[in-house]
Amino acid sequence: MAGRRISSLVARSLPLLSRGGKQTYVGRGISRYSTAAAVEDPVKPPVSVQYDKLLINGQFVDAASGKTFPTLDPRTGEVIAHVAEGDAEDIDRAVAAASKAFDEGPWPKMTAYERQKILLRFADLVEKHNDEIAALETWDNGKLYEQSAQIEVPMFVRLFRYYAGWADKIHGLTIPADGALHVQTLHEPIGVAGQIIPWNFPLLMFAWKVGPALACGNTIVLKTAEQTPLSALVVAKLLHEAGLPDGVLNVVSGFGPTAGAALCSHMDVDKLAFTGSTDTGKIVLELAAKSNLKPVTLELGGKSPFIVCEDADVDQAVELAHFALFFNQGQCCCAGSRTYVHEKVYDEFLEKAKARAMKRTVGDPFKAGIEQGPQIDEEQFKKILRYIRSGKESGATLETGGDRFGTKGYYVQPTVFSNVKEDMLIAKDEIFGPVQTVLKFKELDDVIRRANNSRYGLAAGVFTHNLDTANTLMRALRVGTVWINSFDTFDATIPFGGYKMSGIGREKGEYSLKNYLQVKAVVTPLKNPAWL
Amino acid sequence: MAARRISSLVARSLPLLSRTGKQSYLDRGISQYSTAAALEDPIKPPVSVEYDKLLINGQFVDAASGKTFPTLDPRSGEVIAHVAEGDAEDVNRAVAAARKAFDEGPWPKMTAYERSKIMFRFADLVEKHNDEIAALETWDNGKPYEQSAQIEVPMFARLFRYYGGWADKIHGLTIPADGPHHVQTLHEPIGVAGQIIPWNFPLLMFAWKVGPALACGNTIVLKTAEQTPLSALLVANLLHEAGLPDGVLNIVSGFGPTAGAALCSHMDVDKLAFTGSTQTGKIVLELAAKSNLKPVTLELGGKSPFIVCEDADVDKAVELAHFALFFNQGQCCCAGSRTFVHEKVYDEFVEKAKALAMKRAVGDPFKPGMEQGPQIDQQQFRKILKYINSGVESGATLEAGGDRFGTKGYYVQPTVFSNVQDDMLIAKEEIFGPVQTVLKFKDSDEVIRRANNSPFGIAAGVFTQNLDTANTLMRALRVGTVWINCFYTFDAAIPFGGYKMSGVGREKGEYSLKNYLQVKAVVTPLKNPAWL
């Protein structure tokens, strides 16, 4: 049951590529909505906000300053709740709690099996509260409720079961020596992990960060995004219900320049993991360098190429490229935001991509069958509209969309630009919105060069059935993930991370564990060894 | 033969712990020399300087500025040679050559087997020129020639054979998916590696950095320390003789604020590895953060505890603690520079440690049997004498040494302080010289707390035969290497690196490879899979 519900994003969203085919996500949407539909009064979310304070040492507490900040409904811009606003003093309290829980235990002193059981119980609890958590996520973020309830919360559960399974499989090595010595390595928890997560996938980023850190025996201070503080507090509560000791996970809601910077600069934080923009990532790394040299993993921005080769079935390519860009309102760091199409199929592709975008159903994310909700907030909304203007001004052809959708909240029309050139801002910068930019190419060498000519290197899509082409592109693209005839496949086992200025390190999969482990070599002499 | 020559540092240097015992390094020294011996005129090194230019794109070239700097003989402070002084413009040329050799090949486009053969041939050539390379290393650095010729150059060859063997064993993974997908990871070379090495082990640090970078298919710009530019140029020439293509390894001699900073800030450098002081390491990481977020590995300073437990055989403990501090003139980042001795054996230990230090043979490193040569340069020499003054002023008891040795060059008397308190500068800061500080402790919990109460965490020594004590300390010490009843065991297979402000990442062993690899996930859908 769970397995079916988690079935991959692509299979759910792409009727043309799925084996089940008929009753799909996209298909259902198209039959009932279109971008022409008016946005009605927002649906009342079937959930209430129960947790709005900081979580420090197992207790929900007010900020030391007593301050709060409003978190807004992206459908309307109205206040959902006032949330305790943590700053440096709260970070100090949270780090002190995490340090104590690490240094004195019980977390790293418990057996790996005990830690595993708590994480598995947590996954069960989240599954039990699936719909309530999903509703809160959609309310705070604006993403589709169907996406939250049928993909993201189940994926969250799946991730915690994945990491729970790792807890008792963290092996060091015994190592051959050049002389009469016994050598071993211990893979130890690193200590207090500072983690800063973004607003585009609040729950999944919680799982990517908290899962491996806990499995490896670390304690945590997590700073959520100020746009989406709510879901982390609910699941953190469930994690304590599952048996997590006090102080092991502390959650500080708040802003980057105050709470975030304090966490990055803290001398008692032993590791940092950050997901967000490249500009902020640079600040995070600088603060680590200036304080105590804590190791840093970064998942940052992207401008990922999606390459449609000349042998492509155009209908399938259009559908996949559309998904690669528009999924999650275009708010994905790995969005396929440079759509390179071979000149032989360019015109047909463009016409169909435009038609597909025009059919995209935009509306209240709580309504069934909707494909696109609002952008996260006014700042992003305005930034996207600025990029659309820039595209027009720089001479790209606006094929469809190009404006806000409706009159309320932060909805943006699905937008497609053709005749896009590499030197235009819309082809270079991360827009983080529903704006597809279509570029033409002739030869494989040419598209490799152009695709790689970016400061980013997060991901790439390749659409071809030619094995040589697939093999060539797979190696030549300087990116952390290559999806061939697929996109946004985010299984727990698949590592994710960036080349170049898209980041440092990998999350998910076996690779993620080393972010939260120190390696200690231990050497002793051997007397009369039976073998060496 | 080679294996015997490489036999571990401990076995060579510690008669009491070695199985062969009699004809050891120390014994030979003690019988012929003592610190009271006068320094004669320096022995003429049996080697001449053949390479004094920058190595860029396979050619030895002058600096763009035409400038040179003198490299000095630490025995006398006299000039050995004037070496081309690289700065930002030369770093640009070197990076351009490395970029071309990476992007256009042939290095990363050669088979791993071809790369391994070149590295093996290089190891053979180094072995053939063992004595010449060793003489140059000793001349430029001041370390005992016997150490260079019998330990370090053989270890250098051993390291390149180790990494040569890894070249064709860099495996990605195939990965189980949650649906009908084929998932694999490619472990790709990262690109142009910028590497900055220190002066205390010029050849070994070359091997630690260049070995894994080449095995993984990267190209390199290496900046050597301005104190010791010579040996790297000599071996680099041999590496080209072994078949390394032009541009794959570029060497820029020069200074940190000019050449080093340019390398760290360079937008076309894909990775940085630095060994040096913690203070400089912070600058390196900041420059990476401010430029292109290149990933950084750091091997930095230390103040490593050496813990002598109450069950210790005092004679053996004294011998090992002496070696742990005084080896290489005390110029080791992992020197056992806080000697914690249990109160039950403290008085006996201090008396014997003092006697051993007073017998330490100091003199011209080219003379057989010498245990200690000069410090690297005047700056370090003065810094060490300042720390000795500080120790005396802060109330520690000076048991032996305490002044310069002789009247010429940078020799320092083997120095021992007892009654050292944790808050004295000599117990907190890295002295990087032949100054042993002996502290007293009562119980295991106390020494764990005090040993860990340091911003550093690079290594620790533990001297005990009690298995419970060994197991407890092994886990409790927050350091990257724990040597139990041994010290400075530096086999190629053993990872080395720091906790806390002693660094980020691990060098040597399997762990080192990931410093020079990017991980790329590749995903394709499966049609009718036979299994999942």
Side-chain angles (χ1 to χ4, degrees), chain A residues 117-129:
Chain A
K117 283 192 291 183
I118 290 169
L119 295 177
L120 290 174
R121 273 201 298 272
F122 172 51
D124 292 345
L125 282 174
V126 170
E127 205 161 52
K128 199 172 131 197
H129 293 82

Side-chain angles (χ1 to χ4, degrees), chain A residues 158 178 477 491 499 520, chain B residues 158 178 188 477 491 520:
Chain A
R158 196 267 175 274
D178 285 348
L477 295 169
D491 292 8
Y499 281 48
K520 179 188 281 179
Chain B
R158 196 267 175 274
D178 286 348
E188 302 194 333
L477 295 168
D491 292 8
K520 180 189 279 179

Side-chain angles (χ1 to χ4, degrees), chain A residues 158 178 185 187-188 190 282 289 291 474 477-478 480 482 484 491 493 499 506 511 518-521 523, chain B residues 158 176 178 185 187-188 190 282 289 291 474 477-478 480 482 484 489 491 499 506 511 518-521 523:
Chain A
R158 196 267 175 274
D178 285 348
T185 52
H187 292 186
E188 302 193 333
I190 206 167
K282 293 174 80 165
S291 55
M474 176 199 299
L477 295 169
R478 295 189 53 72
V482 179
I484 301 177
D491 292 8
T493 52
Y499 281 48
R506 293 295 178 272
Y511 300 90
Q518 276 282 22
V519 175
K520 179 188 281 179
V523 185
Chain B
R158 196 267 175 274
D178 286 348
T185 51
H187 292 186
E188 302 194 333
I190 207 166
K282 293 175 80 164
S291 55
M474 176 199 301
L477 295 168
R478 295 190 54 72
V482 179
I484 302 177
T489 311
D491 292 8
Y499 280 48
R506 292 295 177 273
Y511 300 91
Q518 275 283 20
V519 175
K520 180 189 279 179
V523 184

Side-chain angles (χ1 to χ4, degrees), chain B residues 97-383:
Chain B
R99 188 82 259 164
K100 188 158 174 287
F102 185 80
D103 292 343
E104 299 176 16
W107 193 244
K109 295 181 201 283
M110 287 166 71
T111 66
Y113 179 45
E114 288 173 301
R115 286 198 296 270
S116 75
K117 283 193 293 183
I118 290 170
M119 296 175 74
F120 291 144
R121 273 200 298 271
F122 173 50
D124 292 345
L125 283 173
V126 168
E127 208 160 53
K128 201 173 127 195
H129 293 83
N130 186 90
D131 294 354
E132 170 193 348
I133 298 168
L136 194 63
E137 186 80 334
T138 285
W139 195 7
D140 212 11
N141 171 282
K143 61 178 66 203
Y145 173 74
E146 290 182 340
Q147 179 183 323
S148 299
Q150 293 169 36
I151 301 174
E152 297 192 11
V153 181
M155 179 63 89
F156 181 96
R158 196 267 175 274
L159 282 158
F160 271 91
R161 292 200 178 105
Y162 177 78
Y163 285 114
W166 268 118
D168 57 3
K169 292 163 200 76
I170 293 166
H171 301 123
L173 302 172
T174 57
I175 292 179
D178 286 348
H181 284 104
H182 174 65
V183 184
Q184 59 190 306
T185 51
L186 304 178
H187 292 186
E188 302 194 333
I190 207 166
V192 176
Q195 306 184 319
I196 301 177
I197 59 175
W199 49 259
N200 57 341
F201 294 94
L203 282 170
L204 291 179
M205 293 303 100
F206 180 110
W208 287 22
K209 297 268 185 297
V210 171
L214 291 185
C216 294
N218 300 277
T219 62
I220 298 169
V221 177
L222 177 77
K223 191 198 91 65
T224 49
E226 67 270 20
Q227 295 87 348
T228 54
L230 298 177
S231 58
L233 296 171
L234 180 56
V235 295
N237 191 57
L238 293 177
L239 186 45
H240 284 81
E241 211 175 304
L244 192 79
D246 291 348
V248 176
L249 171 65
N250 305 275
I251 299 184
V252 179
S253 314
F255 293 81
T258 51
L263 191 58
C264 295
S265 299
H266 208 290
M267 294 299 285
D268 283 334
V269 172
D270 300 307
K271 197 263 167 324
L272 279 179
F274 169 80
T275 297
S277 74
T278 294
Q279 210 180 343
T280 309
K282 293 175 80 164
I283 296 170
V284 168
L285 189 56
E286 267 191 69
L287 294 176
K290 283 181 174 152
S291 55
N292 65 347
L293 288 168
K294 50 183 90 64
V296 177
T297 40
L298 300 171
E299 304 282 1
L300 308 173
K303 191 76 184 178
S304 297
F306 184 98
I307 301 172
V308 179
C309 299
E310 61 175 311
D311 69 324
D313 174 322
V314 175
D315 288 328
K316 288 180 178 177
V318 164
E319 192 74 52
L320 188 60
H322 177 88
F323 172 64
L325 186 280
F326 289 100
F327 176 67
N328 205 48
Q329 293 70 249
Q331 300 168 148
C332 299
C333 55
C334 54
S337 52
R338 287 185 292 157
T339 310
F340 286 101
V341 181
H342 192 275
E343 58 176 7
K344 279 199 188 158
V345 291
Y346 185 84
D347 292 339
E348 184 188 352
F349 182 96
V350 169
E351 189 175 326
K352 289 180 170 170
K354 170 182 174 178
L356 187 56
M358 291 176 75
K359 281 200 296 189
R360 187 166 183 81
V362 183
D364 191 320
F366 279 105
K367 276 193 194 153
M370 278 299 126
E371 295 176 280
Q372 182 176 317
Q375 308 305 125
I376 187 70
D377 64 11
Q378 191 170 67
Q379 186 187 339
Q380 289 294 319
F381 172 79
R382 287 185 175 162
K383 194 179 96 176

Side-chain angles (χ1 to χ4, degrees), chain B residues 47-59:
Chain B
V47 65
S48 62
V49 176
E50 283 186 82
Y51 306 102
D52 55 10
K53 302 197 170 183
L54 311 179
L55 175 59
I56 295 177
N57 206 26
Q59 307 298 316

Side-chain angles (χ1 to χ4, degrees), chain B residues 460-477:
Chain B
V462 170
F463 203 86
T464 183
Q465 288 294 329
N466 182 305
L467 184 61
D468 287 337
T469 306
N471 281 339
T472 300
L473 287 170
M474 176 199 301
R475 290 198 177 228
L477 295 168

Side-chain angles (χ1 to χ4, degrees), chain A residues 107-282:
Chain A
W107 192 243
K109 297 182 200 284
M110 286 166 72
T111 66
Y113 179 45
E114 288 173 303
R115 286 198 296 270
Q116 179 193 64
K117 283 192 291 183
I118 290 169
L119 295 177
L120 290 174
R121 273 201 298 272
F122 172 51
D124 292 345
L125 282 174
V126 170
E127 205 161 52
K128 199 172 131 197
H129 293 82
N130 186 88
D131 294 354
E132 168 193 345
I133 297 166
L136 195 64
E137 185 81 334
T138 286
W139 194 7
D140 210 11
N141 170 284
K143 65 175 66 205
L144 311 180
Y145 175 72
E146 288 182 341
Q147 180 183 319
S148 298
Q150 293 168 37
I151 301 175
E152 297 190 12
V153 180
M155 180 63 89
F156 180 96
V157 170
R158 196 267 175 274
L159 282 157
F160 270 93
R161 291 200 178 113
Y162 176 77
Y163 283 115
W166 270 119
D168 56 3
K169 293 164 200 75
I170 293 166
H171 301 123
L173 302 172
T174 57
I175 291 179
D178 285 348
L181 295 161
H182 174 64
V183 183
Q184 59 190 307
T185 52
L186 304 177
H187 292 186
E188 302 193 333
I190 206 167
V192 176
Q195 306 185 318
I196 301 177
I197 58 174
W199 49 260
N200 58 341
F201 294 94
L203 282 170
L204 290 180
M205 293 303 100
F206 179 110
W208 287 23
K209 298 268 185 297
V210 171
L214 291 185
C216 294
N218 300 277
T219 62
I220 299 169
V221 177
L222 177 78
K223 192 200 88 70
T224 49
E226 66 271 20
Q227 295 88 347
T228 53
L230 298 177
S231 58
L233 295 171
V234 175
V235 294
K237 171 74 184 165
L238 293 177
L239 188 45
H240 284 79
E241 211 174 304
L244 192 79
D246 292 347
V248 176
L249 171 65
N250 305 275
V251 181
V252 178
S253 315
F255 293 82
T258 51
L263 190 58
C264 295
S265 299
H266 207 291
M267 294 299 286
D268 286 336
V269 171
D270 300 304
K271 196 259 169 322
L272 279 178
F274 169 80
T275 297
S277 74
T278 295
D279 285 347
T280 309
K282 293 174 80 165

